[in-house]
Amino acid sequence: MNKPTIRSLIYASVATAVLGLATAAQAQTTLTIESWRNDDLSIWNEKIIPAFEKAHPDIKVVFQPVAPTEYDAALGAKLAAGTAGDIIACRPFDKSLQLFQKGNLTSVNDIAGMDKFSAVAKAGWSTDDGKTTFCVPVASVIHGFIYNKDAFDKLGIQVPQTEDEFFAALDKIKADGTYTAIDLGTKDMWEAATMGYQNIGPNYWHGEDGRLALIAGKSKLTDPEWVEPYKVLAKWAPYMGDGYKAQAYPDSQNLFSLGRAAIYPAGSWDISQFKQAEFKQGAFPPPVKKVGDTCYISDHVDIALGMNAASKNAEAAKTFLTWVATPEFASIYSNALPGFFSLQSGAIDLQDPMAKEFVSWRGKCKSTIRSTYQILSRGTPNLENETWVASANVLNGTATPDEAAKKLQDGLDSWYKPGK
Amino acid sequence: MNRARSSPLKSALMHLALGAYTLICLAPVALVIMNSVKSRNAIFGAPLMPPTPKTFDLVGYVTVIGQGDFLYYFLNSLIVTLGSIVFVLLFGAMAAFALSEYRFRGNTLMGLYMALGIMIPIRLGTIAILNIMVATRLVNTHLALILVYTAQGLPLAIFILSEFMRQVSNDLKNAARIDGLSEYAIFFKLVLPLIRPAIATVAVFTMIPIWNDLWFPLILAPGEATKTVTLGAQVFIGQYVTNWNAVLAALSLAILPILVLYLLFSRQLIRGLTAGAVK
Amino acid sequence: MSDVETLRRPRRWHIAVFLAPAVLVYTAIMIVPLADTLRLALFRSTDNAQTFVGLDNFKVLFGDPRWSVSFWNALKNNVIFFVIHMLIQNPVGIALAAMLSVPKLRGTAFYRTSFFLPTMLSFVIVGFTWKLILSPIWGVTPTLLGLVHLKWLFGPWLGQETTALITLALISVWQYVGVPMMLIYAALLSIPEEVIEAAELDGVTGPSQFWKIKLPLILPTVGICSILTFVGNFNAFDLIYSAQGALAGPNFSADILGTFLYRTFFGFQLQLGDQNMGATIATMMFLIILTGVAVYLFAIQRRMRRYQF
């Protein structure tokens, strides 16, 4: 390396430093959004931001997502040093609650339109007493099963309503041998918990009733209603693909899009991913135990937007959040991102048929959120993480349903004292 | 004697062993590059198959080039990487020379102090580092990254270079001293050229983690003007859906500059060899 | 060493000049921030304030089974990870470098570049490639094994508790074998031709020349490789994080100190980051590595005989 090169490097860095400061100085009303949703970058740039900027020409919005695995750590560091953006995408429950308690997020109680969200919708981003909400709820995700309709038709399988019908269908698919019956892997673990346990579980622990009883300490994870979903899950293993222990989440997605699997335990976010597939698809909610049972679905609060308390553009940020609480935003967002359902009470006209199918379950089943999210994952060991491990272990056959449940309850008992 | 060195059977066996290992090293890389020019379904449908006219698809590269100014990101990565290498090598070699050449009080302790940095991941100091950069108004500059990477690269550089410097002949240095050369001249004119292979090695080791780092660009310089290639490519890694076409394309492209840099440095290895032989 | 002359000079400013730039940058940007973080090991955060608690966090780490089980598991896995590297990565690196340094061998530049290529790849690529290769679904490995009638050997290696860590260690060896190879190669190149010629005149050639002449000469570099492997392995994190996720599954069977630290310090999913316990773990890692490096610096490196050329 000779001297001129070093010098030009230094000049280059000085020049960009000056440039950086200059742009910061003139951008008085540029709002930056911090988010983990890399997936949504083009939708924000092409649909959402233009719609907002059209109504508010004085405010410019920049959507600046980072990889989801880096988001929390990166955001934490930037908030601590004061370089974070104005608008912050909020994870549900304790992650955001902690930011609020540290003074990084402000209350959004006074944002017009907050009254359009139900208490359950707001629960993910409110203080434990429910008095202060610190993020405007944006979307929830629903669990269920997406199936390959061509495969079902070919094998003469009806959409299963009950557990027995579900396993009968699996037997048929397995006997035929063309398709992987249940397209689920345990390599990344979270699918085992989220698409497995939390997907079918609410039918056994009766949704909100069971979840709240667990928080209140009235029921335990070792009780039959909490162990039974694990017993059902253990029965899935023989129907899963070869080497499912090393099957990662993208593998499962690709296997289904390529038409090589019959039933895919899904999150509604998968809808858009499967749209390009060249076969007909359908969806059904988690099967109930016997005909006539009330059905429950996991309709989980997933994403919200809040305001950086240190934002220099507080007024503009408020204007933006107020817009986020309007039906206009809800409609653009839900239609641009089929599978992310608005949490506003007003009905939104969805265009995507699969998304419509998922959201129609809200009408016939009772909604609940994932059992581990509120309060119960506050201590060490972390119940959500443990549930990932336990669910994967059950599917891998390295733990029995009873062992898995006992481990979870023991972990919870070690720090959680209900009612205190 | 020379027969033993150049026996055709021996060299054939060696080529066999080296060739086999080359295959192990290159096959996965070839897999990446091959799949970067295929359609998504073809990547996962038949990952082993080379692209056919039916599966050939440059969609990944199109996406990458359409998304932001990738050429500019490459330039940023180069500025940051080269800038850091210069400082690491210069400062590192100087410090290594001081530690290996002179005996002074606390020499070994100083050596240990300079090695502390490889014992704790620098990421843990992120918040304090970011605070320093905010206070000095260096956020979103190349210099912020260069400073961090220089600090990060120094311990390893000093560690390796001082070991190699200890092996440089004392007779040579003492002869130079008798000739009246200053300590600085001995360092720059005598020692540095002699340890060229080691310097090239350290340069290569230093540049790789810098080129591939995602964390500090994300924290210290996420602005469009200073975005690096790795940071630019991460936008395709989503929560639920990763655009593998684009990721493979971006990262295949990102291999090229660093490969070129490696080839440049590794020529120093050969030159070092001849320089050492003459001495 | 030239101490006799240099000691006589009263002030040796050049030593300070040589050291100053490195010490300044390194201290300001690395040591101070890291010390600031490690200090948190002695504190606990309550109501947004840090309270000094002495060694309480260490008592928790070792006394509370919720922490100690994870710590010992991670340490045990880390030792296995390290042993695999020492047994495979470094010997293979030395062997490759030895072959490459044979004079008149053709194509060494190509081989060297190929061997080093994996080291240059980002973890995203390494993770993606190996997951694809080892995946039971897309069938690269099963197909290849099938061709040589060994398909029965195949298993979902990254997904089994018994094999995940070993598989990851081997991937890491694959990635990093270039490092010892380069260092040893550089050391072998610096052996003067005269030494080799003298050996040949004495009739020491071929393998015995390597074992009797070259290996002793490059021992200091082998020492460096070992200590760098040690430091690198006990700090490792990225590969396991990108291949297996922060929980380093299945069932924490691939959890090493680095992944345990990152999960604790920065948090993961619903798990909140705990800077105090994170700093406590980091301090323990630091002490482990420091012990290793100090043993090397004070005990091994000082005793190692250096041959000057």
PDB file of all heavy atoms in Angstrom, chain A residues 286-308:
ATOM      1  N   PRO A 286     -57.032 -26.279  12.989  1.00  0.00           N
ATOM      2  CA  PRO A 286     -56.654 -27.491  13.723  1.00  0.00           C
ATOM      3  C   PRO A 286     -57.876 -28.343  14.030  1.00  0.00           C
ATOM      4  O   PRO A 286     -58.873 -27.821  14.527  1.00  0.00           O
ATOM      5  CB  PRO A 286     -56.040 -26.948  15.013  1.00  0.00           C
ATOM      6  CG  PRO A 286     -55.715 -25.537  14.747  1.00  0.00           C
ATOM      7  CD  PRO A 286     -56.566 -25.063  13.627  1.00  0.00           C
ATOM      8  N   PRO A 287     -57.829 -29.647  13.728  1.00  0.00           N
ATOM      9  CA  PRO A 287     -58.981 -30.518  13.943  1.00  0.00           C
ATOM     10  C   PRO A 287     -59.334 -30.631  15.430  1.00  0.00           C
ATOM     11  O   PRO A 287     -58.439 -30.582  16.278  1.00  0.00           O
ATOM     12  CB  PRO A 287     -58.501 -31.880  13.419  1.00  0.00           C
ATOM     13  CG  PRO A 287     -57.300 -31.600  12.612  1.00  0.00           C
ATOM     14  CD  PRO A 287     -56.688 -30.369  13.155  1.00  0.00           C
ATOM     15  N   VAL A 288     -60.627 -30.740  15.698  1.00  0.00           N
ATOM     16  CA  VAL A 288     -61.067 -30.882  17.085  1.00  0.00           C
ATOM     17  C   VAL A 288     -61.098 -32.359  17.466  1.00  0.00           C
ATOM     18  O   VAL A 288     -60.964 -33.236  16.615  1.00  0.00           O
ATOM     19  CB  VAL A 288     -62.460 -30.266  17.298  1.00  0.00           C
ATOM     20  CG1 VAL A 288     -62.373 -28.759  17.163  1.00  0.00           C
ATOM     21  CG2 VAL A 288     -63.455 -30.842  16.313  1.00  0.00           C
ATOM     22  N   LYS A 289     -61.300 -32.628  18.769  1.00  0.00           N
ATOM     23  CA  LYS A 289     -61.258 -34.021  19.212  1.00  0.00           C
ATOM     24  C   LYS A 289     -62.451 -34.807  18.686  1.00  0.00           C
ATOM     25  O   LYS A 289     -62.310 -35.903  18.154  1.00  0.00           O
ATOM     26  CB  LYS A 289     -61.197 -34.105  20.735  1.00  0.00           C
ATOM     27  CG  LYS A 289     -59.764 -34.300  21.218  1.00  0.00           C
ATOM     28  CD  LYS A 289     -59.642 -34.093  22.694  1.00  0.00           C
ATOM     29  CE  LYS A 289     -59.790 -35.385  23.472  1.00  0.00           C
ATOM     30  NZ  LYS A 289     -59.482 -35.170  24.894  1.00  0.00           N
ATOM     31  N   LYS A 290     -63.657 -34.272  18.890  1.00  0.00           N
ATOM     32  CA  LYS A 290     -64.811 -34.961  18.291  1.00  0.00           C
ATOM     33  C   LYS A 290     -65.774 -33.943  17.717  1.00  0.00           C
ATOM     34  O   LYS A 290     -65.741 -32.763  18.072  1.00  0.00           O
ATOM     35  CB  LYS A 290     -65.503 -35.885  19.300  1.00  0.00           C
ATOM     36  CG  LYS A 290     -65.537 -35.404  20.720  1.00  0.00           C
ATOM     37  CD  LYS A 290     -66.197 -36.413  21.609  1.00  0.00           C
ATOM     38  CE  LYS A 290     -66.998 -35.713  22.706  1.00  0.00           C
ATOM     39  NZ  LYS A 290     -66.152 -34.820  23.533  1.00  0.00           N
ATOM     40  N   VAL A 291     -66.615 -34.411  16.829  1.00  0.00           N
ATOM     41  CA  VAL A 291     -67.544 -33.535  16.119  1.00  0.00           C
ATOM     42  C   VAL A 291     -68.361 -32.723  17.133  1.00  0.00           C
ATOM     43  O   VAL A 291     -68.816 -33.265  18.136  1.00  0.00           O
ATOM     44  CB  VAL A 291     -68.499 -34.359  15.230  1.00  0.00           C
ATOM     45  CG1 VAL A 291     -69.334 -33.446  14.345  1.00  0.00           C
ATOM     46  CG2 VAL A 291     -67.719 -35.359  14.397  1.00  0.00           C
ATOM     47  N   GLY A 292     -68.501 -31.445  16.871  1.00  0.00           N
ATOM     48  CA  GLY A 292     -69.323 -30.617  17.735  1.00  0.00           C
ATOM     49  C   GLY A 292     -68.546 -29.884  18.800  1.00  0.00           C
ATOM     50  O   GLY A 292     -69.074 -28.966  19.439  1.00  0.00           O
ATOM     51  N   ASP A 293     -67.278 -30.262  19.017  1.00  0.00           N
ATOM     52  CA  ASP A 293     -66.468 -29.536  19.998  1.00  0.00           C
ATOM     53  C   ASP A 293     -66.241 -28.096  19.516  1.00  0.00           C
ATOM     54  O   ASP A 293     -66.142 -27.851  18.319  1.00  0.00           O
ATOM     55  CB  ASP A 293     -65.092 -30.206  20.142  1.00  0.00           C
ATOM     56  CG  ASP A 293     -65.151 -31.422  21.055  1.00  0.00           C
ATOM     57  OD1 ASP A 293     -66.248 -31.696  21.581  1.00  0.00           O
ATOM     58  OD2 ASP A 293     -64.119 -32.094  21.207  1.00  0.00           O
ATOM     59  N   THR A 294     -66.145 -27.193  20.473  1.00  0.00           N
ATOM     60  CA  THR A 294     -65.774 -25.823  20.107  1.00  0.00           C
ATOM     61  C   THR A 294     -64.346 -25.835  19.570  1.00  0.00           C
ATOM     62  O   THR A 294     -63.478 -26.502  20.130  1.00  0.00           O
ATOM     63  CB  THR A 294     -65.790 -24.909  21.346  1.00  0.00           C
ATOM     64  OG1 THR A 294     -66.951 -25.218  22.109  1.00  0.00           O
ATOM     65  CG2 THR A 294     -65.779 -23.452  20.947  1.00  0.00           C
ATOM     66  N   CYS A 295     -64.124 -25.113  18.473  1.00  0.00           N
ATOM     67  CA  CYS A 295     -62.756 -25.075  17.981  1.00  0.00           C
ATOM     68  C   CYS A 295     -62.069 -23.787  18.415  1.00  0.00           C
ATOM     69  O   CYS A 295     -62.717 -22.760  18.604  1.00  0.00           O
ATOM     70  CB  CYS A 295     -62.724 -25.226  16.458  1.00  0.00           C
ATOM     71  SG  CYS A 295     -63.597 -23.943  15.561  1.00  0.00           S
ATOM     72  N   TYR A 296     -60.773 -23.915  18.603  1.00  0.00           N
ATOM     73  CA  TYR A 296     -59.968 -22.766  19.018  1.00  0.00           C
ATOM     74  C   TYR A 296     -58.838 -22.581  18.017  1.00  0.00           C
ATOM     75  O   TYR A 296     -58.295 -23.554  17.502  1.00  0.00           O
ATOM     76  CB  TYR A 296     -59.367 -22.998  20.401  1.00  0.00           C
ATOM     77  CG  TYR A 296     -60.384 -23.098  21.504  1.00  0.00           C
ATOM     78  CD1 TYR A 296     -61.008 -24.310  21.783  1.00  0.00           C
ATOM     79  CD2 TYR A 296     -60.721 -21.984  22.263  1.00  0.00           C
ATOM     80  CE1 TYR A 296     -61.942 -24.412  22.799  1.00  0.00           C
ATOM     81  CE2 TYR A 296     -61.663 -22.076  23.282  1.00  0.00           C
ATOM     82  CZ  TYR A 296     -62.268 -23.300  23.548  1.00  0.00           C
ATOM     83  OH  TYR A 296     -63.201 -23.388  24.542  1.00  0.00           O
ATOM     84  N   ILE A 297     -58.493 -21.332  17.747  1.00  0.00           N
ATOM     85  CA  ILE A 297     -57.338 -21.097  16.873  1.00  0.00           C
ATOM     86  C   ILE A 297     -56.350 -20.152  17.541  1.00  0.00           C
ATOM     87  O   ILE A 297     -56.722 -19.322  18.364  1.00  0.00           O
ATOM     88  CB  ILE A 297     -57.742 -20.488  15.498  1.00  0.00           C
ATOM     89  CG1 ILE A 297     -58.601 -19.240  15.703  1.00  0.00           C
ATOM     90  CG2 ILE A 297     -58.417 -21.508  14.621  1.00  0.00           C
ATOM     91  CD1 ILE A 297     -58.713 -18.379  14.475  1.00  0.00           C
ATOM     92  N   SER A 298     -55.087 -20.337  17.190  1.00  0.00           N
ATOM     93  CA  SER A 298     -54.057 -19.421  17.640  1.00  0.00           C
ATOM     94  C   SER A 298     -54.056 -18.219  16.698  1.00  0.00           C
ATOM     95  O   SER A 298     -53.700 -18.331  15.538  1.00  0.00           O
ATOM     96  CB  SER A 298     -52.695 -20.123  17.629  1.00  0.00           C
ATOM     97  OG  SER A 298     -51.672 -19.174  17.786  1.00  0.00           O
ATOM     98  N   ASP A 299     -54.487 -17.079  17.215  1.00  0.00           N
ATOM     99  CA  ASP A 299     -54.583 -15.842  16.429  1.00  0.00           C
ATOM    100  C   ASP A 299     -53.687 -14.855  17.166  1.00  0.00           C
ATOM    101  O   ASP A 299     -54.131 -14.090  18.004  1.00  0.00           O
ATOM    102  CB  ASP A 299     -56.050 -15.391  16.412  1.00  0.00           C
ATOM    103  CG  ASP A 299     -56.269 -14.166  15.544  1.00  0.00           C
ATOM    104  OD1 ASP A 299     -55.287 -13.618  15.025  1.00  0.00           O
ATOM    105  OD2 ASP A 299     -57.437 -13.759  15.401  1.00  0.00           O
ATOM    106  N   HIS A 300     -52.417 -14.940  16.842  1.00  0.00           N
ATOM    107  CA  HIS A 300     -51.414 -14.376  17.730  1.00  0.00           C
ATOM    108  C   HIS A 300     -50.996 -12.965  17.357  1.00  0.00           C
ATOM    109  O   HIS A 300     -50.609 -12.696  16.221  1.00  0.00           O
ATOM    110  CB  HIS A 300     -50.188 -15.290  17.732  1.00  0.00           C
ATOM    111  CG  HIS A 300     -49.177 -14.913  18.762  1.00  0.00           C
ATOM    112  ND1 HIS A 300     -49.397 -15.089  20.103  1.00  0.00           N
ATOM    113  CD2 HIS A 300     -47.955 -14.366  18.646  1.00  0.00           C
ATOM    114  CE1 HIS A 300     -48.343 -14.661  20.771  1.00  0.00           C
ATOM    115  NE2 HIS A 300     -47.457 -14.215  19.912  1.00  0.00           N
ATOM    116  N   VAL A 301     -51.034 -12.064  18.338  1.00  0.00           N
ATOM    117  CA  VAL A 301     -50.570 -10.692  18.104  1.00  0.00           C
ATOM    118  C   VAL A 301     -49.081 -10.744  17.788  1.00  0.00           C
ATOM    119  O   VAL A 301     -48.302 -11.344  18.512  1.00  0.00           O
ATOM    120  CB  VAL A 301     -50.824  -9.795  19.328  1.00  0.00           C
ATOM    121  CG1 VAL A 301     -52.311  -9.557  19.486  1.00  0.00           C
ATOM    122  CG2 VAL A 301     -50.254 -10.394  20.594  1.00  0.00           C
ATOM    123  N   ASP A 302     -48.692 -10.139  16.685  1.00  0.00           N
ATOM    124  CA  ASP A 302     -47.327 -10.385  16.218  1.00  0.00           C
ATOM    125  C   ASP A 302     -46.498  -9.130  16.029  1.00  0.00           C
ATOM    126  O   ASP A 302     -45.310  -9.117  16.293  1.00  0.00           O
ATOM    127  CB  ASP A 302     -47.388 -11.143  14.879  1.00  0.00           C
ATOM    128  CG  ASP A 302     -46.023 -11.580  14.401  1.00  0.00           C
ATOM    129  OD1 ASP A 302     -45.338 -12.255  15.181  1.00  0.00           O
ATOM    130  OD2 ASP A 302     -45.641 -11.246  13.271  1.00  0.00           O
ATOM    131  N   ILE A 303     -47.115  -8.064  15.557  1.00  0.00           N
ATOM    132  CA  ILE A 303     -46.294  -6.915  15.182  1.00  0.00           C
ATOM    133  C   ILE A 303     -47.049  -5.613  15.434  1.00  0.00           C
ATOM    134  O   ILE A 303     -48.264  -5.539  15.258  1.00  0.00           O
ATOM    135  CB  ILE A 303     -45.830  -7.039  13.706  1.00  0.00           C
ATOM    136  CG1 ILE A 303     -44.900  -5.896  13.320  1.00  0.00           C
ATOM    137  CG2 ILE A 303     -47.002  -7.080  12.742  1.00  0.00           C
ATOM    138  CD1 ILE A 303     -44.179  -6.150  12.022  1.00  0.00           C
ATOM    139  N   ALA A 304     -46.326  -4.618  15.890  1.00  0.00           N
ATOM    140  CA  ALA A 304     -46.912  -3.307  16.162  1.00  0.00           C
ATOM    141  C   ALA A 304     -45.862  -2.252  15.857  1.00  0.00           C
ATOM    142  O   ALA A 304     -44.706  -2.577  15.598  1.00  0.00           O
ATOM    143  CB  ALA A 304     -47.335  -3.214  17.630  1.00  0.00           C
ATOM    144  N   LEU A 305     -46.288  -1.004  15.849  1.00  0.00           N
ATOM    145  CA  LEU A 305     -45.343   0.083  15.611  1.00  0.00           C
ATOM    146  C   LEU A 305     -45.432   1.089  16.752  1.00  0.00           C
ATOM    147  O   LEU A 305     -46.523   1.476  17.176  1.00  0.00           O
ATOM    148  CB  LEU A 305     -45.638   0.783  14.280  1.00  0.00           C
ATOM    149  CG  LEU A 305     -45.320  -0.019  13.010  1.00  0.00           C
ATOM    150  CD1 LEU A 305     -45.885   0.673  11.788  1.00  0.00           C
ATOM    151  CD2 LEU A 305     -43.821  -0.237  12.869  1.00  0.00           C
ATOM    152  N   GLY A 306     -44.271   1.487  17.258  1.00  0.00           N
ATOM    153  CA  GLY A 306     -44.242   2.453  18.354  1.00  0.00           C
ATOM    154  C   GLY A 306     -43.311   3.598  18.010  1.00  0.00           C
ATOM    155  O   GLY A 306     -42.753   3.665  16.918  1.00  0.00           O
ATOM    156  N   MET A 307     -43.154   4.481  18.986  1.00  0.00           N
ATOM    157  CA  MET A 307     -42.402   5.691  18.732  1.00  0.00           C
ATOM    158  C   MET A 307     -41.188   5.771  19.636  1.00  0.00           C
ATOM    159  O   MET A 307     -41.294   5.573  20.844  1.00  0.00           O
ATOM    160  CB  MET A 307     -43.335   6.868  19.019  1.00  0.00           C
ATOM    161  CG  MET A 307     -42.891   8.160  18.461  1.00  0.00           C
ATOM    162  SD  MET A 307     -44.193   9.341  18.820  1.00  0.00           S
ATOM    163  CE  MET A 307     -43.284  10.432  19.857  1.00  0.00           C
ATOM    164  N   ASN A 308     -40.043   6.049  19.047  1.00  0.00           N
ATOM    165  CA  ASN A 308     -38.817   6.226  19.819  1.00  0.00           C
ATOM    166  C   ASN A 308     -38.967   7.478  20.683  1.00  0.00           C
ATOM    167  O   ASN A 308     -39.180   8.573  20.170  1.00  0.00           O
ATOM    168  CB  ASN A 308     -37.647   6.370  18.845  1.00  0.00           C
ATOM    169  CG  ASN A 308     -36.311   6.556  19.544  1.00  0.00           C
ATOM    170  OD1 ASN A 308     -36.249   6.677  20.767  1.00  0.00           O
ATOM    171  ND2 ASN A 308     -35.251   6.568  18.767  1.00  0.00           N
TER     172      ASN A 308
END
